[in-house]
Amino acid sequence: MRATDEQLAVVQKQVSRGTYEVNSQRVAVAILERIGVIQSRDPVTGGGGGHALLHELSARRAA
């Protein structure tokens, strides 16, 4: 998935203001989807991908 010029401009503004935040779980899911370890349930929007995995990761961290 490629970012649009508008999306890049928004991120650049957030970074310059110091308001950009990284969601490490979303990054991890995106990486795992990209390398084919998991697949999104909705390939059009990418929504819902990795929720079971995130639950499993969180449960293991809490243990």
Side-chain angles (χ1 to χ4, degrees):
M1 180 173 152
R2 300 275 182 206
T4 66
D5 290 339
E6 184 178 318
Q7 290 170 322
L8 290 175
V10 168
V11 171
Q12 287 173 335
K13 287 178 186 175
Q14 289 176 330
V15 169
S16 67
R17 288 189 304 242
T19 60
Y20 185 79
E21 294 181 16
V22 175
N23 181 322
S24 59
Q25 289 184 331
R26 289 183 68 190
V27 170
V29 168
I31 291 169
L32 293 172
E33 287 176 344
R34 179 75 176 200
I35 63 175
V37 174
I38 59 173
Q39 293 181 342
S40 294
R41 286 186 280 179
D42 184 355
V44 175
T45 63
H51 283 284
L53 177 64
L54 288 177
H55 177 71
E56 181 67 23
L57 289 173
S58 296
R60 287 186 184 187
R61 239 184 275 154

